[in-house]
Amino acid sequence: YGITTDSSDSRTFRTGSNKKITGVQSLIAEHAYTVLEAENWNKSDKAEVVHLLDEKRISVLLELQKKGFLTISQIWLLCYADKRRPAAEAAMRELLQRGMVDRHRYFMGRGIGYLESFYFLTRKGFSYLKGCELPEFLEEDFRYKDAPMTIANYAHRKAALDFWVGLETALKGDDDFELASFVPEWLPDDGGERIVLNVASPAHRKRLNIMPDASFVLRNNRQLKDGRFPESLFFVEIDMDTEAIIGKRALFDRFYKYQLAFSALSFRQLGPYYEQFEGARLLFVANSEKRAKSVAEKIVVNPALASAFLFTHLDEVKERGLFASRFLLAGGSGPVGINGKAV
């Protein structure tokens, strides 16, 4: 909205069409004025035009605060799915110009050019959100986080975000399930800690650590007789085909640690919330169908934990959604659904 403030009455807000605004718009304007006043904006002009953010642009800032950073494609899916991509691009240009977001660019050299930039929230954008006094934002702290600097880290982080965004968009409008939580490895959980599984190694007589690329909880909205809503715990490994499958420091070692963790229910040590879970599953998400199949065929797990290890690739999850995706089990058998049962 274009809001005009009159120097004789700094609390009078008018739109560019000279119509007064009321209701929710006037409340947002009031909060925005407070933020602008605190940031010492120049109000020497008799009529200064201040462009407030609409709901979609505010939702962009909220998503950046929640996820750390996002590409234009991801912002489009999350906040502008009902519009064409140029609408998302125009919004990001405005937010960038106003200093509410910043970006990191990735140049791949001549012939390829730039990859999609990662956008992240600035302190000014955070201050604007604080000024809006949104109920879900009142207890938030500024989460500034540098975007990945190397191309390898960029590719891995983008794939993890693609999975997260795809999961959220697939569950929109789903009456049966909702995403109760999603914790990526670059952000702490609600308790301020990173998700790290600690397991005891019988072979090495020492404790081993695993930091998953992400963890999430799916909640079934069909209430049980005892009043609870069933929840399922998942860990995620994003694979960009940069590690050997078998050998020293290879993928096989990670799967060995996960088997120990699942057998000992080590995830319950993450906090009181996790004590409710009787088990967990690992989603291994590769960058291609060929890679997913190759890893699944070479990984061997305890038969009692067979349905706890599911192998797929990113395009499968993005195109089909989590519940329609087909997964392989360790050893290459399948396909199965997200519940580990044959489809």
Side-chain angles (χ1 to χ4, degrees), residues 24 40 62 84 89 123 152 172 232 244 290 301:
V24 174
N40 297 316
L62 286 170
R84 301 182 68 179
E89 294 172 344
R123 188 167 291 280
K172 282 183 179 178
S232 301
K290 180 180 178 181
V301 300

Side-chain angles (χ1 to χ4, degrees), residues 179-247:
L179 191 60
S181 71
F182 191 104
V183 184
E185 54 88 13
W186 63 88
L187 291 176
D189 62 10
D190 290 338
E193 302 291 336
R194 296 288 197 274
I195 297 293
V196 179
L197 298 176
N198 295 296
V199 298
S201 170
H204 302 90
R205 295 183 180 181
K206 63 180 181 180
R207 300 198 68 81
L208 306 173
N209 295 331
I210 320 169
M211 180 179 285
D213 291 328
S215 68
F216 68 93
V217 174
L218 275 183
R219 178 179 296 135
N220 189 326
N221 289 324
R222 295 179 181 177
Q223 194 171 19
L224 299 175
K225 291 182 179 180
D226 61 6
R228 294 183 300 110
F229 292 94
E231 294 186 336
S232 301
L233 174 63
F234 295 86
F235 296 98
V236 182
E237 286 290 333
I238 302 294
D239 177 73
M240 303 305 294
D241 199 359
T242 57
E243 296 179 78
I245 302 173
I246 306 294

Side-chain angles (χ1 to χ4, degrees), residues 111-172:
I112 298 178
Y114 285 95
L115 302 175
E116 279 194 293
S117 298
F118 265 139
Y119 289 84
F120 51 92
L121 190 66
T122 63
R123 188 167 291 280
K124 184 176 181 180
F126 179 82
S127 297
Y128 187 95
L129 286 176
K130 276 290 189 182
C132 291
E133 295 186 2
L134 303 172
E136 68 272 28
F137 195 75
L138 293 179
E139 302 300 323
E140 288 281 338
D141 294 320
F142 183 52
R143 278 183 173 179
Y144 178 82
K145 177 79 173 178
D146 284 328
M149 300 303 291
T150 67
I151 297 298
N153 288 340
Y154 167 91
H156 188 269
R157 190 64 53 82
K158 182 178 181 298
L161 284 164
D162 279 341
F163 179 84
W164 189 357
V165 171
L167 187 57
E168 284 192 351
T169 54
L171 288 171
K172 282 183 179 178

